[in-house]
Amino acid sequence: MNYDEIIKNTLDEHRYMHTKGVVDTAIQLADKYGADRDKALIAAYLHDFAKPLGYEESLKLIEKFGIILDEETLENPELLHAPLGMAIAKYEFGINDEEILDAIRYHTTGKENMPLLTKIIYLADLIEPSRNFDGLEKIREAAYKDLNQALIISMNNTIVYLIKKNHVIHSDTYKARNFIIRNLHRGN
Ligand SMILES: [Fe+2]
Ligand SMILES: [Fe+2]
């Protein structure tokens, strides 16, 4: 399947450039940390496939696909495209690989005990070349040295940002962060 062609025809220029950046970055990280680069490529191409859909349409599709979501995800329109993207990858693109589906599903929040590919897509989404936000350079630098450190820095950054904005913090994000920190303390 020519994912590049599909994404180019589906996403606007800005989102297409972002997606291309995530693909390139995810492949670099997959090579560095020993993940499957073909899976990284597919997950990266499809991670924001559902992003152009509006809130109401997303909710309808979520119901159609029978996805059960927690309150924290349902109340945040920014998060819906991740579980919906997973369902589209599965039911419309016929992808059954659990690692790819998990990486798409949790690319916005992270989750407790993230598999390697999920960590890679989560970070690639944040550090791809067209991104620009406070604290990005530190995360980018860490991503090529120590994946878990990069995740902690980025999740700390996200949590602080959400607190400053007085927004809800999705519990998957602090569970993801706590899990990595506990393992580092145990020396894993
Ligand atoms: Fe996304
Ligand atoms: Fe993205």
Side-chain angles (χ1 to χ4, degrees), residues 143-185:
Y144 291 94
K145 286 187 193 149
D146 184 326
L147 203 58
N148 287 322
Q149 281 299 342
L151 283 161
I152 291 171
I153 297 169
S154 72
M155 284 168 181
N156 284 349
N157 201 61
T158 300
I159 289 167
V160 168
Y161 171 84
L162 292 170
I163 288 171
K164 279 185 187 157
K165 291 263 179 189
N166 236 0
H167 286 175
V168 170
I169 300 165
H170 197 291
S171 51
D172 282 339
T173 303
Y174 70 74
K175 282 181 189 163
R177 174 187 175 277
N178 288 354
F179 186 90
I180 296 166
I181 288 182
R182 269 193 215 111
N183 276 327
L184 285 182
H185 290 170

Side-chain angles (χ1 to χ4, degrees), residues 67-92:
I67 308 169
I68 310 294
L69 289 178
D70 55 89
E71 278 299 304
E72 291 161 298
T73 304
L74 278 173
E75 70 193 9
N76 188 342
E78 293 287 308
L79 300 180
L80 290 180
H81 74 281
L84 186 53
M86 179 204 72
I88 291 172
K90 187 170 181 170
Y91 298 116
E92 293 186 4

Side-chain angles (χ1 to χ4, degrees), residues 18 47-48 51 78 81-82 107-108 125 131:
H18 162 67
H47 84 285
D48 274 346
K51 193 135 182 175
E78 293 287 308
H81 74 281
H107 82 268
T108 50
D125 186 33
R131 288 282 204 185

